[in-house]
Amino acid sequence: MTTEYLSSNNFAAASSASAGNLAAELETLLSSDFTGNMFALLAGYQRILADNSQRHQWPAVHKKLETLFKCGKYAVVDGPMIGIPVSIKDSDYFQDTVQHFGKERSKIASIEWMATAWNMTFADTGLWMGKTFEPVSKEVVADKTGNDDDMLAKYDPQTTRIGRNYFREPPQPDLIQGLGLPVLTPMWNLKPRPKSTAEKLFDSDLLPENLAREVNIPYSMTGGIFLALPGKSVVPEMHGKEVYQLNYRWPRLNPAYPMTRLVDELVQIADGIYLGQLVFATRHYSLGSLRLLSSPDLPAIPLGEAYAGAHDKPLDFLFKLFSGDKEVDYGYQNNGYFLMMDPAHAKEVYTDNAFPQLRPRAGESGYLELGYDKTEPTSKPAVPAGAPTQWPGVTDWVDGWQGDEQLREKFTTFILEESPKKSDVEDVREMRRDGESILQMLQRISLAISAQTAADDQLKHFDKLHRLFRCGVAPQVINGVFQGHGKKGYNCRVDGTEKRDWYGQADVARGFDYYHGATLNLHLGFSETLRGDIGKKFNDSQLFPGTLASILDEDASKSPNVLDMVWHSIGKYIFPWAGKSFEKISGRKLSMFLDESSDLANRYPERVRELKTHLASAPHYALVKKASNHYWQQPGAYAAHLQSGCWDRGMNKEDKAFWENEANDHWVDGNNIQDERIVTADPLMRIIDMNYRVPDPSLQAISAAGPSPFARQGYIFLGVDGRESILAMNNDGASKKKVFQFHYRYPMIGGPTPIGFCLDELVEIADGLFLGQLIYATALDVPYHSSVDPAEYKYQLFGYFLLLDDAWEHHRRAIKLDVWQN
């Protein structure tokens, strides 16, 4: 498949075989990724490359961008263009060496620290907003290039341009982002945005028509000068491809490092869309100059080599003597990609499925001109079929639900089973008072617990929640999806539309469901372990019985419930946890997550590398290393179905069938979801949580139509049904409480400390209302393995939380149970 702008014929391949491969790559890309909107396609690539948690996908996306660039069409770029960085790649100073061994990049370059740092700071801030390409006289070109013969011979007033970059203040900048423009302004000699053609900027001719086109681009400062003209790519792998070339390196342009190394190259790939590659020199470049403070009148001392064009050789005499009359090798390499987009397409550029982060804000150029003052662009895409039902007739969600028969039944009817404890003889339904919903009952109980534990943090004060939990009914997994016991049994149930890569295989989300979250009460669970350890110590020694009695006496061991007080006074306003989402998990993914084999690094090298490079996942990576050293004597719970190999390498058909059945019958893929408050902490979260990501737009659209939208997903877990509770307080001898469990502890799941010590449990207590126990291991020095008796980990209860469907969430927000909004 070819288009008006994209064709494999636009690239001079080294052989007919490589030409065929390029044509096939373009065909695959256009048929699998392209859905008719090139802006959306490129935005999808940009989101992956701006997300450090998806670095395992970066090589594949870079390969697709390389295909687009090779197949792009040469075109002159004229006037203002909206721009966005798509990716940044580290220079590979060992590229020539590793290519001899058949590798594309060295291990050092593969760290991609520049991309990681950029994603943590400026990736989606709109700091850089594009470029403009203005007419330039031959005299100016001669001056800027030192009368370079080659440049003057190529000069053409129709195609030669002088250009400058656009810069913009990031929205709500953090400390580092706030330094962006103040640092760049003196370094790159930035000047304020021109308001008329009378202003002379950097020896260019500002045309009235270009000034008019600029209006759709929000920027405040401009600079960073380059000369642009047609040329052949300087990147060896491009085989002399025709490009529109932007050179920042000429010394008389006064480039600041790293622009002393920079040459941009552009091709057109669609109407109004130009794909650019960043090209940096790795040899013969200037680092700037050094001026001695003690002798300010002396000339600055140049550092490195000043750029002198393609034919004027640095150290000319020695160069000719030893190398012959050859062009200097600057060691040019591709260092990433960026986009140039015609402002005539501004509305398409700024839409939610393209680049909304570039959209003009109130007070900026383009905001009024594009009509955003009259109708703000929708932040809520069309809601897919299957989104949660709304209740337009209910306007008062505090008490108005009582006038709706279905809601009244839903809000007052428990879903219960018999408690496993024989001592639980009271009917928990009697906790609810006339006229109050089950959620209002829980709010009343929660307030009482907070008052009781303020000075005495003991679990006896949580007794009503304990009894309610023991009588709740565990949700199930049916046909791979999360299923409650209410009339509908789910909040929403849809399939995604955006393909996502998981370890080399792409698929869409299936059976997606999500629930809002609320915290009831917290408890410092370490206290039970501490008391138990002290009691065991004294019992074993049989010493100081009087001291032991005083230590373990409940009335003498009172302590304030600091966790609960901090949460309700500060925590709920800061921590952006918004609930949990569930979707189907494949047998392939499940087998990886439950794998505890001794050769995990060989089975899943990329995943283990992620564990290693995300320092917050150190406890999970420690499990990988212990497994490789055969730390545990007994095999894991699922070892028998992993002995034939991992899914992609060696697993037999019988074991694959086991995993598919296991995934279909018992497990779901889970995420904790966060609300909009997390967005400002994106750079930090992408470092902390290796699984942190922006949700698929079609799934996020469902929440955007509901009472409490979520913005991010992370802290992943495996959900499993039909399990016996790990807490002794939920069981009674041989009578065990059946629960739904959230597993965070298996090594390949990953995630930040302390989530790797967590194993939560859940039951349903009413239609769409779930009560959860927050459980952590308190024996922090005992490494996790499924063969170990759970008692060894000394699991303790750290509090209770709720999961709620949309109807309950409307009610929760109205009665202000654990809400942070005003």
Side-chain angles (χ1 to χ4, degrees):
M1 177 189 292
T2 61
T3 71
E4 179 182 353
Y5 302 99
L6 289 169
S7 171
S8 58
N9 295 327
N10 292 332
F11 183 73
S15 65
S16 57
S18 57
N21 290 337
L22 180 61
E25 289 168 3
L26 179 62
E27 172 73 26
T28 300
L29 186 155
L30 292 177
S31 61
S32 63
D33 292 6
F34 182 61
T35 58
N37 186 333
M38 185 62 75
F39 294 104
L41 170 72
L42 296 166
Y45 292 163
Q46 187 269 341
R47 281 191 286 270
I48 293 172
L49 294 169
D51 186 350
N52 287 341
S53 69
Q54 299 193 62
R55 65 173 59 242
H56 61 282
Q57 296 192 58
W58 291 356
V61 177
H62 277 131
K63 184 64 177 175
K64 293 178 180 180
L65 290 169
E66 179 185 318
T67 297
L68 289 174
F69 190 87
K70 286 180 175 179
C71 296
K73 180 181 179 181
Y74 158 74
V76 175
V77 186
D78 199 25
M81 292 286 157
I82 304 167
I84 187 171
V86 177
S87 72
I88 294 176
K89 296 172 66 178
D90 291 357
S91 293
D92 191 348
Y93 295 95
F94 302 95
Q95 185 183 69
D96 293 343
T97 302
V98 299
Q99 283 182 345
H100 287 298
F101 298 95
K103 298 183 180 297
E104 291 189 6
R105 285 175 73 73
S106 66
K107 289 185 177 180
I108 293 176
S110 296
I111 296 173
E112 303 291 9
W113 71 267
M114 284 183 62
T116 303
W118 175 260
N119 291 345
M120 290 164 49
T121 51
F122 295 104
D124 285 323
T125 62
L127 173 68
W128 177 70
M129 283 297 299
K131 305 176 189 286
T132 189
F133 302 78
E134 302 288 352
V136 61
S137 68
K138 191 171 185 178
E139 290 73 21
V140 170
V141 172
D143 176 64
K144 298 300 183 185
T145 63
N147 293 302
D148 183 81
D149 292 338
D150 186 54
M151 286 290 290
L152 294 177
K154 293 178 179 177
Y155 175 81
D156 182 339
Q158 300 302 314
T159 60
T160 305
R161 297 288 180 263
I162 190 168
R164 52 189 168 85
N165 288 269
Y166 299 142
F167 299 95
R168 173 198 201 188
E169 185 70 35
Q172 300 178 329
D174 59 25
L175 179 61
I176 295 177
Q177 294 166 357
L179 296 175
L181 272 183
V183 170
L184 290 179
T185 296
M187 181 182 296
W188 289 0
N189 190 29
L190 303 185
K191 295 181 180 179
R193 176 181 187 137
K195 299 186 182 301
S196 75
T197 57
E199 297 184 48
K200 295 296 182 182
L201 290 177
F202 313 109
D203 300 304
S204 67
D205 296 327
L206 181 55
L207 301 180
E209 56 266 33
N210 287 343
L211 190 65
R213 290 172 62 195
E214 278 192 0
V215 75
N216 288 344
I217 308 176
Y219 77 94
S220 58
M221 302 296 288
T222 184
I225 308 306
F226 56 85
L227 288 174
L229 74 168
K232 294 185 182 298
S233 177
V234 296
V235 178
E237 292 80 7
M238 288 294 117
H239 297 171
K241 177 178 173 60
E242 289 188 357
V243 295
Y244 195 61
Q245 201 165 74
L246 290 55
N247 194 328
Y248 293 81
R249 303 193 66 195
W250 298 102
R252 292 178 66 85
L253 292 173
N254 298 315
Y257 185 86
M259 289 196 298
T260 55
R261 301 168 53 195
L262 179 60
V263 176
D264 287 340
E265 297 180 343
L266 287 167
V267 295
Q268 189 168 11
I269 60 172
D271 184 24
I273 305 178
Y274 303 83
L275 178 62
Q277 66 170 349
L278 293 162
V279 180
F280 280 99
T282 59
R283 306 185 189 99
H284 308 299
Y285 55 82
S286 171
L287 293 170
S289 59
L290 176 66
R291 191 174 295 277
L292 298 177
L293 296 177
S294 59
S295 304
D297 296 331
L298 292 177
I301 302 171
L303 302 176
E305 299 179 27
Y307 177 73
H311 299 287
D312 292 328
K313 319 299 186 300
L315 303 175
D316 191 58
F317 173 75
L318 293 177
F319 191 91
K320 289 181 179 179
L321 181 63
F322 292 104
S323 63
D325 191 14
K326 298 179 181 178
E327 293 184 356
V328 62
D329 182 5
Y330 286 110
Y332 286 117
Q333 293 181 8
N334 173 288
N335 285 80
Y337 294 92
F338 63 96
L339 290 175
M340 297 272 86
M341 297 168 285
D342 193 321
H345 298 274
K347 280 279 193 177
E348 296 172 82
V349 174
Y350 300 144
T351 56
D352 287 332
N353 66 345
F355 305 102
Q357 65 269 45
L358 304 182
R359 186 180 299 154
R361 303 187 289 267
E364 291 184 318
S365 182
Y367 184 78
L368 298 177
E369 292 79 1
L370 293 170
Y372 293 144
D373 60 318
K374 298 181 178 63
T375 54
E376 279 285 347
T378 177
S379 59
K380 297 182 179 182
V383 181
T389 304
Q390 301 300 307
W391 297 266
V394 181
T395 56
D396 174 16
W397 280 94
V398 176
D399 297 308
W401 53 269
Q402 298 190 51
D404 185 291
E405 183 178 352
Q406 290 184 339
L407 284 178
R408 185 170 64 254
E409 180 183 1
K410 179 184 178 78
F411 283 3
T412 59
T413 304
F414 287 92
I415 292 177
L416 302 173
E417 65 183 13
E418 186 178 351
S419 168
K421 276 192 173 293
K422 296 178 180 178
S423 58
D424 288 342
V425 293
E426 297 180 23
D427 188 346
V428 295
R429 291 173 295 186
E430 295 180 0
M431 295 182 190
R432 189 182 71 85
R433 296 173 180 172
D434 290 341
E436 71 177 1
S437 68
I438 295 172
L439 195 61
Q440 289 169 321
M441 174 200 80
L442 289 169
Q443 184 180 41
R444 173 172 50 81
I445 292 172
S446 177
L447 291 171
I449 293 172
S450 292
Q452 291 170 320
T453 62
D456 183 19
D457 185 17
Q458 294 191 52
L459 282 178
K460 65 180 182 180
H461 301 302
F462 291 73
D463 182 61
K464 288 184 178 180
L465 295 182
H466 300 335
R467 289 191 287 118
L468 187 57
F469 185 89
R470 290 193 290 263
C471 290
V473 182
Q476 301 171 289
V477 173
I478 298 178
N479 295 325
V481 296
F482 183 83
Q483 180 72 39
H485 298 277
K487 286 187 175 180
K488 191 169 65 169
Y490 57 89
N491 185 38
C492 69
R493 185 164 292 166
V494 296
D495 292 338
T497 58
E498 299 84 8
K499 284 190 175 181
R500 303 173 306 183
D501 177 83
W502 175 256
Y503 218 74
Q505 287 190 10
D507 198 4
V508 298
R510 302 192 184 280
F512 177 84
D513 194 4
Y514 83 102
Y515 290 86
H516 310 277
T519 300
L520 287 177
N521 297 90
L522 298 178
H523 165 71
L524 188 59
F526 285 104
S527 57
E528 277 73 38
T529 296
L530 180 62
R531 291 179 187 131
D533 288 347
I534 293 176
K536 184 176 186 301
K537 175 181 177 182
F538 278 100
N539 286 331
D540 288 346
S541 65
Q542 296 183 345
L543 297 175
F544 311 113
T547 304
L548 171 60
S550 65
I551 290 176
L552 298 181
D553 182 84
E554 289 186 348
D555 293 332
S557 59
K558 292 182 179 181
S559 59
N561 190 344
V562 177
L563 279 180
D564 194 62
M565 289 188 290
V566 170
W567 174 259
H568 288 292
S569 61
I570 301 174
K572 70 179 182 180
Y573 300 102
I574 299 174
F575 189 63
W577 179 67
K580 297 181 187 288
S581 66
F582 310 98
E583 58 191 74
K584 288 186 177 183
I585 190 168
S586 67
R588 177 177 181 264
K589 188 173 185 179
L590 181 63
S591 68
M592 176 195 287
F593 275 172
L594 294 180
D595 200 335
E596 299 171 292
S597 303
S598 60
D599 58 343
L600 292 173
N602 293 327
R603 290 180 176 221
Y604 320 105
E606 292 181 12
R607 186 70 178 175
V608 171
R609 192 178 304 118
E610 281 191 278
L611 290 172
K612 184 177 181 180
T613 55
H614 284 75
L615 297 182
S617 296
H620 286 94
Y621 182 61
L623 298 179
V624 174
K625 292 192 292 184
K626 287 185 180 296
S628 68
N629 293 326
H630 302 281
Y631 180 87
W632 295 278
Q633 301 301 312
Q634 299 298 320
Y638 298 94
H641 300 284
L642 292 161
Q643 289 179 348
S644 60
C646 64
W647 187 281
D648 294 336
R649 290 191 293 173
M651 184 178 288
N652 60 43
K653 292 182 179 180
E654 292 76 13
D655 286 335
K656 286 186 176 182
F658 166 83
W659 286 111
E660 290 287 13
N661 290 332
E662 190 72 9
N664 186 71
D665 296 343
H666 297 295
W667 299 84
V668 292
D669 197 355
N671 278 269
N672 284 278
I673 55 179
Q674 294 92 24
D675 60 44
E676 62 188 5
R677 290 172 293 170
I678 198 69
V679 175
T680 57
D682 263 356
L684 177 62
M685 292 304 300
R686 285 169 176 158
I687 295 174
I688 292 176
D689 184 3
M690 59 185 281
N691 302 302
Y692 180 80
R693 65 186 179 88
V694 177
D696 299 343
S698 62
L699 303 183
Q700 200 171 12
I702 296 171
S703 79
S708 299
F710 61 82
R712 297 291 186 267
Q713 291 175 292
Y715 294 98
I716 67 171
F717 59 86
L718 291 174
V720 59
D721 69 0
R723 292 308 193 255
E724 294 179 350
S725 176
I726 57 173
L727 291 184
M729 60 181 290
N730 293 331
N731 303 316
D732 194 351
S735 181
K736 307 291 186 181
K737 177 63 185 173
K738 290 289 186 179
V739 296
F740 188 92
Q741 289 182 338
F742 302 135
H743 283 261
Y744 297 87
R745 306 207 67 189
Y746 283 88
M748 301 308 293
I749 293 178
T753 305
I755 202 69
F757 297 98
C758 187
L759 204 166
D760 295 342
E761 297 184 342
L762 190 76
V763 295
E764 190 171 15
I765 59 173
D767 184 354
L769 180 63
F770 303 83
L771 181 63
Q773 290 184 328
L774 182 62
I775 301 170
Y776 278 91
T778 58
L780 304 182
D781 58 336
V782 182
Y784 179 78
H785 194 264
S786 60
S787 67
V788 177
D789 184 346
E792 295 294 317
Y793 298 114
K794 300 179 181 177
Y795 287 110
Q796 299 292 352
L797 178 68
F798 276 71
Y800 283 92
F801 63 91
L802 296 173
L803 295 182
L804 316 91
D805 68 15
D806 277 1
W808 287 107
E809 176 66 5
H810 279 296
H811 186 35
R812 178 181 80 93
R813 292 185 61 177
I815 66 175
K816 299 188 182 302
L817 169 60
D818 193 48
V819 296
W820 58 273
Q821 299 96 331
N822 292 327

